[in-house]
């Protein structure tokens, strides 16, 4: 059994136990990416929750989730990186069964605990769903955020990295930049939803890319320092590889305006899914365990919240229906611009003052 399999398997079990101790129950606990994509000790566990139903109070549920995450991180200094942030999404089982969760998101899930056949059914259905504009937006957004000089190695914070700093910087180049863009390019070129980064590097190798795929797979899985290039040299190679890769990606037809998650119902659920855990994230970022750094995570919120607000405003449209008015009111509660600790404290206070709006949006599906 590999180090990564043992490390992340144990970590997932510990996290599930901590959730249970804090009263956070889920029908299924999953993480993004396949197990082979988790590179010990550098990859973090990006968790998703599938709930049997909505809790009585999303506010109380988030407070418990934040407390559970804080306790899990406090259990080991390594967990400051391995459990960098609280879960990224929470959906209900009925929403997933109703195909209201984006297939591109579901296709990457791996089981931590729960009913394996159910997850396999969800993933198989996601793989077989017809390719559409929401897939184009999903994968092109990955590229748009990183290509043409947008990826900056210095912005990949090392604040919570406690060992093998040079190895972590190489990991950032290969796994946060090259492999993630390769994954998105492979999906766009083949119009399929790849389950992970390793699969993309192994399975999508157009002419001129074979040696790059082998190079970067070797680098990310290498266990010794001997002969390994520094991060800056790897970054230059990654730029060259992606320049070739993008030549195999079809030119985008039309714009990317409108809903980023396809149908209004899917856009609503995807937006609610990320907002359902936002309060827990903010609570954790504002009060992490001793030694855990969250300043860079607070700053990172701005970009994610900008996308959330854009979707909410599109859902609000002309504010005629009750659902549109609810989306508009929710959009007004999302912080705009740069995010700081003070920003998040004000946002939490706003959510508390408008609890009925928040609870209604997070619970009520789009009719």
């Amino acid at each position: 059994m590999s180090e990564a399999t043992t490390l992340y398997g144990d970590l997932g079990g510990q996290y599930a136990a901590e959730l249970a101790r804090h009263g956070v129950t889920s029908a299924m606990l999953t993480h993004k990416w396949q197990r082979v994509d988790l590179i010990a000790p550098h990859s973090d566990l990006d968790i998703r929750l599938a709930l049997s139903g909505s809790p009585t109070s999303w506010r109380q549920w988030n407070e418990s989730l934040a407390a559970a995450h804080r306790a899990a991180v406090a259990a080991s200094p390594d967990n400051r990186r391995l459990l960098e942030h609280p879960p990224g999404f929470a959906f209900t089982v009925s929403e997933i069964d109703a195909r209201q969760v984006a297939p591109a998101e579901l296709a990457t899930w791996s089981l931590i605990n729960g009913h394996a056949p159910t997850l396999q059914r969800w993933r198989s259905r996601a793989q077989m769903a017809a390719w559409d504009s929401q897939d184009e937006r999903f994968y092109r957004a990955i590229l748009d955020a990183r290509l043409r000089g947008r990826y900056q190695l210095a912005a990949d914070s090392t604040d919570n990295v406690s060992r093998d700093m040079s190895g972590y910087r190489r990991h950032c180049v290969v796994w946060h930049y090259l492999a993630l863009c390769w994954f998105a390019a492979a999906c766009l070129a083949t119009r399929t939803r790849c389950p992970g980064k390793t699969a993309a590097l192994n399975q999508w190798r157009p002419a001129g890319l074979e040696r790059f795929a082998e190079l970067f797979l070797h680098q990310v899985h290498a266990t010794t320092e001997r002969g390994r290039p520094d991060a800056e040299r790897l970054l230059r190679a990654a730029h060259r590889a992606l320049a070739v890769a993008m030549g195999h990606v079809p030119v985008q037809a039309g714009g990317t305006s409108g809903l980023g998650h396809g149908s209004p119902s899917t856009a609503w659920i995807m937006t609610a899914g990320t907002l359902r855990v936002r309060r827990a994230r903010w609570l954790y970022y504002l009060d992490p365990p001793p030694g855990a750094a969250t300043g860079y995570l607070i700053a990172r919120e701005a970009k994610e919240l900008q996308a959330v607000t854009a979707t909410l405003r599109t859902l609000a449209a002309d504010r005629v229906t009750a659902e549109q008015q609810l989306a508009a009111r929710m959009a007004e509660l999302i912080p705009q611009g740069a995010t700081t600790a003070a920003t998040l404290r004000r946002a939490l206070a706003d959510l508390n003052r408008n609890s009925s709006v928040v609870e209604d949006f997070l619970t009520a599906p789009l009719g």
Side-chain angles (χ1 to χ4, degrees):
M1 186 175 292
S2 70
E3 177 190 0
T5 299
T6 301
L7 173 64
Y8 293 105
D10 290 348
L11 186 63
Q14 293 162 14
Y15 198 84
E18 205 62 69
L19 290 177
R21 274 193 289 272
H22 285 80
V24 180
T25 58
S26 63
M28 188 180 297
L29 196 64
T30 70
H31 65 78
K32 188 176 182 180
W33 306 121
Q34 305 311 296
R35 188 59 60 88
V36 71
D37 293 324
L38 301 181
I39 310 300
H42 303 309
S43 296
D44 67 305
L45 203 59
D46 200 349
I47 294 171
R48 278 83 170 100
L49 294 160
L51 310 178
S52 298
S54 295
T56 304
S57 165
W58 283 109
R59 177 180 177 178
Q60 293 176 4
W61 184 86
N62 270 265
E63 290 170 353
S64 297
L65 178 58
H69 190 84
R70 190 179 298 113
V73 173
S76 168
D78 286 346
N79 290 356
R80 299 168 192 169
R81 166 60 195 154
L82 298 175
L83 295 171
E84 185 177 50
H85 53 72
F89 286 99
F91 303 111
T92 65
V93 170
S94 62
E95 290 165 353
I96 303 172
D97 281 338
R99 308 189 185 207
Q100 293 177 309
V101 175
E105 165 66 26
L106 273 175
T108 65
W109 284 14
S110 294
L111 190 68
I112 294 177
N113 72 5
H115 191 238
T118 296
L119 178 59
Q120 184 56 46
R121 174 169 55 84
W122 290 343
R123 288 185 54 191
S124 296
R125 213 168 53 179
Q127 294 281 2
M128 293 186 293
W131 182 272
D132 63 17
S133 60
Q134 73 173 308
D135 296 297
E136 290 281 334
R137 292 189 183 96
F138 184 96
Y139 296 113
R140 289 193 187 277
I142 293 173
L143 299 176
D144 290 344
R146 291 163 181 83
L147 295 182
R148 293 178 290 280
R150 293 188 179 92
Y151 174 77
Q152 297 294 318
L153 177 57
D156 252 326
S157 176
T158 59
D159 288 353
N160 285 316
V161 179
S162 59
R163 53 191 170 119
D164 190 14
M165 193 68 69
S166 61
Y168 181 72
R169 283 171 54 79
R170 286 192 295 267
H171 173 84
C172 290
V173 171
V174 178
W175 231 225
H176 297 174
Y177 174 49
L178 180 283
L180 188 54
C181 290
W182 194 294
F183 160 82
C187 293
L188 290 165
T190 61
R191 295 172 68 85
T192 58
R193 303 175 188 92
C194 192
K197 302 173 188 178
T198 302
L201 283 162
N202 277 322
Q203 296 169 12
W204 187 66
R205 297 184 176 187
L209 287 173
E210 299 93 338
R211 66 184 181 90
F212 284 118
E214 288 297 333
L215 166 67
F216 289 109
L217 278 173
H218 171 74
Q219 288 298 326
V220 80
H221 291 289
T223 56
T224 65
E225 285 291 316
R226 182 179 300 175
R228 299 186 72 184
D230 61 26
E232 286 73 18
R233 182 179 169 190
L234 266 181
L235 185 58
R236 291 192 293 271
H239 290 328
R240 293 194 299 271
L242 291 174
V244 176
M246 290 308 296
H248 297 276
V249 176
V251 176
Q252 182 176 343
T256 57
S257 60
L259 292 172
H261 295 293
S263 70
S265 62
T266 297
W268 187 289
I269 294 304
M270 293 300 295
T271 304
T274 190
L275 288 177
R276 285 167 180 163
V277 296
R278 227 70 208 177
R279 192 195 301 261
R281 284 198 170 198
W282 297 349
L283 290 169
Y284 172 75
Y285 294 164
L286 292 170
D287 185 24
T294 58
Y296 69 99
L297 296 167
I298 291 173
R300 193 184 294 173
E301 283 291 289
K303 186 175 182 179
E304 297 189 29
L305 294 177
Q306 181 181 12
V308 166
T309 302
T311 300
L312 286 170
R313 287 174 175 166
T314 302
L315 287 169
D318 51 9
R319 307 188 183 199
V320 173
T321 68
E323 290 92 347
Q324 290 172 339
Q325 292 170 12
L326 181 58
R329 294 178 69 189
M330 193 68 214
E332 293 168 356
L333 299 177
I334 306 300
Q336 300 301 300
T339 43
T340 64
T343 304
L344 297 190
R345 289 191 186 94
R346 287 193 297 270
L348 285 169
D350 287 343
L351 295 181
N352 293 343
R353 281 193 297 269
N354 295 273
S355 58
S356 62
V357 172
V358 176
E359 295 289 328
D360 286 349
F361 181 83
L362 298 184
T363 300
L366 183 62

